Amino acid sequence: MGGNFLNYIGGKWKPARSGETFPVVNPANCEDVIAYFPKSGVEDVNDAVESAAQAFPGWARTPAPKRAEFLLKAADILIARKWDLAKEMTREMGKILKEAGGDVQEAIDCAQYLAGEGRRMLGAVTPSELPNKWAMAFRKPVGVCALISPWNFPMAIPMWKIAPALVCGNTVVFKPSSSTPVLGTLLVEVFEEVDLPPGVLNLIHGSGGETGELLIHHPRVQLISFTGSVETGKHIAEVAGKQMKKVSLELGGKNPVIVLDDADVDLAVEGILWGAYGTTGQRCTATSRLIVQDGIYPVLLQNLIQRIQKLKVGNGLDPTVDVGPVINQHQLHKIHAYVQKGTQEGATLRIGGEILNQGEYKKGNFYAPTLFEDVSPSMTLFQEEIFGPVLSVMRVRSFEEAIQAANAVRFGLSSSIYTRDLHFAFRAMEEIDAGITYINAPTIGSEVHLPFGGVKETGNGHREGAAWTLLEIFSEWKTIYVDYSGRLQKAQGIE
């Protein structure tokens, strides 16, 4: 790696028209400059969108099974390069190597699954109310799609968006996070290798506040798919609403794990550790709130703290490391500000709560795995998404109190309950306000063939993953009537 990378527009690699670039650094060693990327401006965005618009008619007319073949070919290349890509991912955004491999694997799974939809793309055939009349509906592509992805899953989430967009017949302008442009580039290179027609998939680099802003305002962009912060999502929704663009938003989470008195303590501890400190807590599905019933509270907390103490923080390329760095200095200090506020508001810091910046940690963005006790729903720690290795613990007396606490936030993405009681498990499925609920497993995402997304301020109601993505986001219904009666037939009983 190293050197200057380029945008990919109309099947060609191009620098930004301005010639300006920005650096990308390794969060485990900020002196390690990985590469420089183009800082795209209005001309670059215009070029990318126009390229996608020109390619759209031909791509839309390509049969869906043929479009899907490109996804299968791309998946084969990703399989062959899985661990090389994983190493680049760990260097670029910090997650430990085995998690980075899982990120690439999810992209593979998504490409393979969505390729199958190229032979389904199911519509509807239904009886007409009139004789000698055929009624049906099918799916058509939307047009030029702006796909804006985050840095925490730099291979999986782009594929969640690119694969369904392409198989539906749309063309794409893809803007990866400015924190992870390497993986975005490597993914586009794969599609270039499978000879995807020029202009069908375009790549532009730059910040969300500048390049992303230009992209969402562009009049020839018909659809925006965004994963990121609630504040940015609300802004995009406002822009899209004024221009009548389709928009899909996957935003924040403040995910609870409930542990009832009858739970398997060891299983719960394992799940909480993975949910709270995997990916350094930098997941929208991260376990951020732990809600524990009185009876099991002392032993669960004791065992959990003992396990947190053993977590090794460091460079994710080291196979003995459990928790990698935070993405950048801004996020590092934002996490620490939340921790300080938690202490000020009366929560009890039991472990962690510090920036690690000495010795082996001196050059990176490392934060100690952190746990607070005595957290209440009124506290900032309980309410706001921190996006770091910080877990807030609340003690409750009953299942009903636990559900009330779980639902007492503005988000509703992933959730979990640990219990051996089917009565409480099934009630939790119904009563927790979240798009995803796990029973006896941590708050993680979805498998690629099931819907991923949430309620309340977690998004705008759409789901990613599975066939729902095609139906809800990346295609439009078209209804067709064929009257072969040979005479004028009037509907609604009009003679």
Side-chain angles (χ1 to χ4, degrees), residues 5 7 15-23 36-42 44-45 204-207 210-211 214:
F5 279 67
N7 292 327
R17 294 279 197 98
S18 67
E20 292 185 68
T21 62
F22 64 91
Y36 290 86
F37 286 82
K39 188 182 290 186
S40 303
V42 61
D44 307 298
V45 171
I204 56 169
H205 294 292
S207 70
E210 296 177 8
T211 309
L214 291 168

Side-chain angles (χ1 to χ4, degrees), residues 294-310:
D294 268 335
I296 203 171
Y297 187 94
V299 65
L300 178 78
L301 203 67
Q302 180 183 10
N303 290 2
L304 181 58
I305 290 173
Q306 288 174 354
R307 290 296 305 277
I308 294 171
Q309 290 170 337
K310 296 177 182 179

Side-chain angles (χ1 to χ4, degrees), residues 160-208:
W160 284 6
K161 300 177 186 297
I162 291 170
L166 294 184
V167 80
C168 281
N170 303 287
T171 53
V172 168
V173 180
F174 166 42
K175 196 204 83 65
S177 167
S178 56
S179 294
T180 51
V182 171
L183 268 296
T185 299
L186 295 177
L187 180 58
V188 170
E189 286 180 352
V190 168
F191 280 101
E192 182 187 35
E193 286 186 45
V194 302
D195 295 322
L196 192 69
V200 171
L201 174 59
N202 304 275
L203 169 72
I204 56 169
H205 294 292
S207 70

Side-chain angles (χ1 to χ4, degrees), residues 26-30 311-316 318 320-323 325 355-367:
N26 180 347
N29 177 7
C30 296
L311 292 175
K312 182 177 179 180
V313 179
N315 190 321
D318 179 346
T320 66
V321 162
D322 302 298
V323 180
I355 295 173
L356 303 176
N357 54 16
Q358 301 296 316
E360 63 183 303
Y361 302 121
K362 190 173 183 180
K363 296 180 180 179
N365 307 320
F366 296 99
Y367 204 86

